[in-house]
């Protein structure tokens, strides 16, 4: 497996992969307005990594610094955040997701981050278990709800759980 930055000509395919994975995970329906955000990889291209096996893209992650330009939602000073983690549905359970998270943690640590913060919708039990097994802990005081287009009030029927992992421990291993 190779993990590398996305190439410009790959944004369309990666957008489709993200939507396919979220739909397969049963935490997004095809018609959901959020699918358009997931598909629109171009604006987050500079932060997006892909995993390939034999030249085929099998997974992606978006590693976001708190630089005011990345799509970070939670990350503050000393923190990095990853979003839009998605593995092609046929490739789940082979360690690709774990490898993308590990690579993101390594890069964030190298850039001086002390903590990784992430979000997962509450009904995505598979991802929440996966993150817990990778050492992530709930951060309930930073749970949030998204806004819908044209409405600034958070839609509290959607509950996004915050989780974190201390990264400074990695450098002492
Ligand atoms: C959640 C998701 C990213 C996990 O990716 P993945 O590539 O399947 O993850 P991994 O293979 O690294 O780990 C999954 C499980 O397989 C196990 N595993 C890892 N390598 C393995 C291998 N070679 N053989 C068998 N099992 C293995 C891991 O131990 C892990 O088990 P755990 O979750 O109980 O810890 C993936 O299911 C996905 O894309 N889901 C839909 C999108 C999504 O939910 N994204 C996150 C939004 S917050």
């Amino acid at each position: 497996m190779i993990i590398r930055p996305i190439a410009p000509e790959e944004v369309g395919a990666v957008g489709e992969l993200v939507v396919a994975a979220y739909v397969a995970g049963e935490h997004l329906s095809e018609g959901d307005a959020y699918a358009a955000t997931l598909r629109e990889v171009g604006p987050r291209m500079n932060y997006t990594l892909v995993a390939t096996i034999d030249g085929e893209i099998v997974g992606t992650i978006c590693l976001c610094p708190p630089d005011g330009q990345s799509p970070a939602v939670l990350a503050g000073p000393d923190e990095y955040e990853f979003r839009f983690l998605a593995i092609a549905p046929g490739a789940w359970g082979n360690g690709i997701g774990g490898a993308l998270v590990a690579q993101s943690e390594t890069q964030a640590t190298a850039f001086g981050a002390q903590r990784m913060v992430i979000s997962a919708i509450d009904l995505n039990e598979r991802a929440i278990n996966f993150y817990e097994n990778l050492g992530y802990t709930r951060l309930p005081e930073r749970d949030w709800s998204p806004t819908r287009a044209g409405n600034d009030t958070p839609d509290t029927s959607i509950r996004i759980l915050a989780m974190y992992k201390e990264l400074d421990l990695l450098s002492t291993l």
Side-chain angles (χ1 to χ4, degrees), residues 5-160:
I6 190 173
E9 62 273 19
E10 294 170 337
V11 295
V14 169
E16 293 309 320
L17 185 156
V18 176
V19 172
Y22 277 51
V23 170
E26 299 181 350
H27 44 95
L28 178 85
S29 43
E30 272 289 358
D32 195 297
Y34 189 52
T37 303
L38 294 174
R39 268 198 183 94
E40 213 181 352
V41 177
R44 58 179 192 265
M45 198 182 83
N46 290 345
Y47 307 98
T48 297
L49 301 174
V50 294
T52 67
I53 295 178
D54 296 335
E56 185 187 341
I57 297 174
V58 290
T60 181
I61 198 166
C62 181
L63 178 60
C64 308
D67 62 0
Q69 313 223 337
S70 81
V73 174
L74 288 174
D78 301 330
E79 294 176 341
Y80 261 53
E81 172 174 354
F82 65 77
R83 298 190 63 199
F84 310 113
L85 171 63
I87 310 306
W92 291 1
N94 294 310
I96 302 166
L100 281 166
V101 170
Q103 175 68 24
S104 299
E105 291 169 350
T106 301
Q107 284 187 215
T109 304
F111 283 114
Q114 292 179 0
R115 204 170 303 106
M116 187 74 84
V117 285
I118 58 172
S119 297
I121 193 164
D122 60 354
L123 43 85
N124 192 355
E125 286 178 26
R126 179 187 291 101
I128 292 164
N129 287 337
F130 166 77
Y131 293 139
E132 283 177 344
N133 290 338
L134 291 175
Y136 285 80
T137 307
R138 288 272 294 111
L139 191 56
E141 61 272 28
R142 289 167 74 176
D143 289 355
W144 55 286
S145 294
T147 52
R148 293 283 187 191
N151 187 346
D152 287 342
T153 308
D155 178 353
T156 53
S157 69
I158 304 173
R159 209 165 143 251
I160 310 291

